[in-house]
Each structure stands twice: as structure tokens, then as C-alpha cells.
Amino acid sequence: MTITITKKAANHVNQHLQSRGKGIGLRLGVKTTGCSGLAYVIEFADKIEKEDKVFKDNGITLIINPKSYVYLKGTELDFAREGLNEGFKFNNPNVKDKCGCGESFNV
């Protein structure tokens, strides 16, 4: 299963990569934390490790380590604005439950 990114999110990433002046894409992952067990990690990527899984969508390179891929396969990364808040939104088909604040999830 692939990892995808919406055009809206891709445009946002492209703007930041250009202003940053370096980077090859986004590194997506998960870490153990929060009340539900897992939280998303997103950061700019400057290199690809040999074990990484790499996906390209809407002009953006998405890099995921194999351990995180198990939790992220099939995920779509979107960028949303809700009122005064804006940020990336993970549309992850593997999520079975989220905590009340929405910061962590479990599969």
C-alpha cells in the first residue's frame, strides 16, 4: 500500500522546502507516546536511508522507516485549516481509536 499526499498538503510542503533552501521531502513516522499509544512524527528529510520506504506523490517525496510503515500504510497526508488552526492531518485507515485530544492513536 502506498502513502499519498493531497495537492493542498504538497503545495504547503513545497513552499516550506523552498524557504528552507534544502531538503528532498518529508519523513513521516510514529513514536510511542500519549494516552492512546502512538503519535505521528513529521519532519523535513535531507537524505534517504537504505532501509527506508520511499513514495512520490504530487511532486513530494515521502520517506518512511519500515517500523513506522506498518502503522502508516495506506495513509493520506492532508493539510487543513480549521478556524485559526492549521496543520497536517493524517487520514490513516489503520487507526482503531484516538485519544480525546486527538494527539495520539492506536491500531
Side-chain angles (χ1 to χ4, degrees), residues 71-101:
Y71 302 105
L72 295 175
K73 60 186 173 185
T75 295
E76 175 192 63
L77 184 63
D78 195 7
F79 188 79
R81 290 191 176 139
E82 297 174 6
L84 298 175
N85 298 319
E86 66 179 17
F88 289 103
K89 180 179 177 186
F90 288 78
N91 298 316
N92 186 342
N94 306 299
V95 171
K96 292 187 176 154
D97 194 23
K98 295 180 185 178
C99 70
C101 65

Side-chain angles (χ1 to χ4, degrees), residues 61-73:
T61 301
L62 302 167
I63 304 160
I64 298 98
N65 67 51
K67 186 176 178 182
S68 293
Y69 177 71
V70 173
Y71 302 105
L72 295 175
K73 60 186 173 185

Side-chain angles (χ1 to χ4, degrees), residues 1 3 10-11 13-14 18 20 23 32 39 45 55 58 60 84 87 102:
M1 296 184 86
I3 309 295
N11 290 338
V13 171
N14 270 328
Q18 288 175 4
R20 187 174 180 251
T32 304
F55 302 92
N58 284 316
I60 300 296
L84 298 175

Side-chain angles (χ1 to χ4, degrees), residues 13-54:
V13 171
N14 270 328
Q15 289 173 358
H16 283 279
L17 283 172
Q18 288 175 4
S19 67
R20 187 174 180 251
K22 65 177 183 172
I24 58 170
L26 282 183
R27 179 171 292 281
L28 307 177
V30 297
K31 65 179 179 177
T32 304
T33 188
C35 47
S36 290
L38 298 169
Y40 296 109
V41 177
I42 186 168
E43 58 191 13
F44 291 109
D46 295 324
K47 65 180 180 175
I48 299 172
E49 303 295 336
K50 68 178 183 176
E51 68 274 359
D52 286 336
K53 292 192 173 285
V54 179

